[in-house]
Amino acid sequence: MTTNSKVWVSELNARPEIRSAFPRTPVRFYDTTLRDGEQTVGVVFSPQQKLEIARHLDDLGVSRIEAGFPKVSPDDAEAIQLMQAAGLKAELWGFSRAVRGDLEELVRLGLRASVIEAPTSDIKLKAYGITRDEVVRRVSEAVTFATQNGIVVAFFAVDGTRTELDFLKRVYLTALNAGALEIVVVDTIGACGPEAVEFLVRQTREWVGPGIPVHFHGHNDFGMATACAVAAVRGGASWIQGTINGMGERAGNADIGEIALALHCLYDVPVILDLAKVRAVSQLVQKISGYTLEAWKPVVGENLFMRESGAVASQFHIPEAIEPYSSELVNADRRIVLGKKSGLDSIDLKAKELGVTIAHDQRGAILAAVKKRAIAKRGLISDEEFLQIVEESVSAASR
């Protein structure tokens, strides 16, 4: 049942035919919260806010931070300069189209690494009004210019998952021949399921050879970004690109916290990320972005280690009976809350937590009062309300 003392997942995950498909080498994370994440509708980060987020990403253990798209945003250029002066351990990466002017701005700022993107699917080429040959020429010239100016390049094929395979291969090899050192498999529109992602990553790995790092960049349009990222690792990706909280265009990007937890807990894959700090970074990004997440969101949701149901509360003393991993793994508080669905065990646990002694024969009346108040307010009962109910019950019993 367990892989370690804090993980209580099914033994089926450890079957040889499943576990052997995953690497024993660490998976690293390339965070694009400050660029792709900021494309979330209505979200704007100031340069100072970007620096604050970058410091937390660095502390989280993110290996690379995509610092922004400076050619199209003077604020991004300012943020990059702030980050460069901050002494972060993570590598700072830029973002550029396959356009010389974008790259000249990276050179001006002294960035030593960047994604270079170009559209590759026929749908995107039609939208931009350019031909396949033109894309190949632009990629070759842009990557050559970047490498000649000391910039490490990861080539990023926009809408790669909807690109005809022979042409995608041609563009990838063109980028490598021009000096790119890494390749990104990109599911721009979230158009692939996990099986298709694994196929394309594996195919890309065959095209580029074992010495070229392959990334996966996916979106969550069908609610499968985490599953697709896991499949990409199974297919040979050693880098996962994503964001904090999965923020981004449309349904968002792949969520690096979810992916790291899944790889670690379900498949015992080493990940370069401090899971105990994910929730704190999540809360910071929510605060700065001005939005809140659903309480049941994996890894960072408020409800994950909160128990209201009496049937579940009766098992609270055995965490592995009601949870797949320990709250300690993600540094979350584990507690009982009271509401409509509470039971007698919930009352006992809450009383113990608050240091309150309740007579055995008063428990039923207190539970009934808790349920009544919770139904009336259509929500949970606070600790203060519970103490008030206990006091009223004791007073009534003494009359």
Side-chain angles (χ1 to χ4, degrees), residues 7-251:
V7 180
W8 311 301
V9 297
S10 170
E11 290 181 353
L12 296 175
N13 297 298
R15 290 182 63 84
E17 65 270 28
I18 296 174
R19 188 60 59 78
S20 64
F22 287 88
R24 299 296 95 201
T25 52
V27 170
R28 297 178 184 273
F29 293 91
Y30 175 112
D31 184 273
T32 182
T33 301
L34 303 182
R35 197 273 307 172
D36 213 351
E38 194 184 21
Q39 290 181 215
T40 303
V41 172
V43 171
V44 177
F45 297 138
S46 71
Q48 292 74 25
Q49 289 171 332
K50 287 197 172 190
L51 174 61
E52 184 178 7
I53 293 171
R55 289 187 188 279
H56 281 77
L57 292 173
D58 195 41
D59 191 46
L60 178 62
V62 165
S63 298
R64 292 176 178 173
I65 297 171
E66 192 169 82
F69 192 176
K71 178 61 178 178
V72 301
S73 171
D75 274 3
D76 278 12
E78 181 182 345
I80 287 168
Q81 290 172 319
L82 291 174
M83 288 180 240
Q84 288 172 321
L88 304 177
K89 299 183 293 296
E91 297 176 14
L92 291 180
W93 280 57
F95 186 86
S96 168
R97 296 163 296 192
V99 175
R100 183 164 179 150
D102 289 9
L103 293 163
E104 287 173 341
E105 178 65 2
L106 299 182
V107 172
R108 183 186 74 81
L109 291 168
L111 275 174
R112 312 312 301 168
S114 183
V115 158
I116 293 180
E117 69 155 27
T120 56
S121 70
D122 288 338
I123 297 171
K124 288 291 188 183
L125 297 184
K126 181 179 179 181
Y128 286 116
I130 56 178
T131 66
R132 288 184 172 187
D133 287 343
E134 175 66 10
V135 167
V136 171
R137 182 189 67 78
R138 290 185 185 185
V139 169
S140 179
E141 291 180 357
V143 174
T144 297
F145 177 82
T147 55
Q148 287 176 344
N149 283 274
I151 296 175
V152 172
V153 174
F155 176 69
F156 187 101
V158 177
D159 207 16
T161 57
R162 296 194 299 177
T163 300
E164 191 270 325
L165 290 179
D166 285 344
F167 182 62
L168 185 62
K169 177 182 179 181
R170 178 186 172 194
V171 179
Y172 278 155
L173 295 183
T174 295
L176 292 176
N177 289 336
L181 299 180
E182 303 182 12
I183 291 295
V184 188
V185 173
V186 189
D187 194 16
T188 304
I189 309 297
C192 272
E195 300 83 1
V197 167
E198 182 176 357
F199 164 79
L200 185 55
V201 171
R202 198 177 300 279
Q203 181 66 78
T204 300
R205 165 65 57 218
E206 291 179 10
W207 292 337
V208 304
I212 300 296
V214 173
H215 300 226
F216 175 70
H217 177 110
H219 286 254
N220 199 37
D221 294 81
F222 291 96
M224 301 184 82
T226 294
C228 286
V230 169
V233 171
R234 191 165 56 238
S238 55
W239 285 90
I240 296 297
Q241 298 191 0
T243 62
I244 297 298
N245 298 333
M247 63 189 301
E249 291 271 8
R250 303 183 315 279

Side-chain angles (χ1 to χ4, degrees), residues 272-295:
I272 307 299
L273 206 72
D274 188 343
L275 290 168
K277 296 178 178 177
V278 172
R279 290 173 69 90
V281 180
S282 167
Q283 290 165 6
L284 172 75
V285 172
Q286 287 180 69
K287 179 181 177 181
I288 292 176
S289 302
Y291 66 82
T292 57
L293 301 173
E294 61 269 27

Side-chain angles (χ1 to χ4, degrees), residues 258-276:
E258 284 187 19
I259 297 161
L261 187 73
L263 289 171
H264 171 71
C265 292
L266 297 176
Y267 306 107
D268 201 27
V269 174
V271 293
I272 307 299
L273 206 72
D274 188 343
L275 290 168

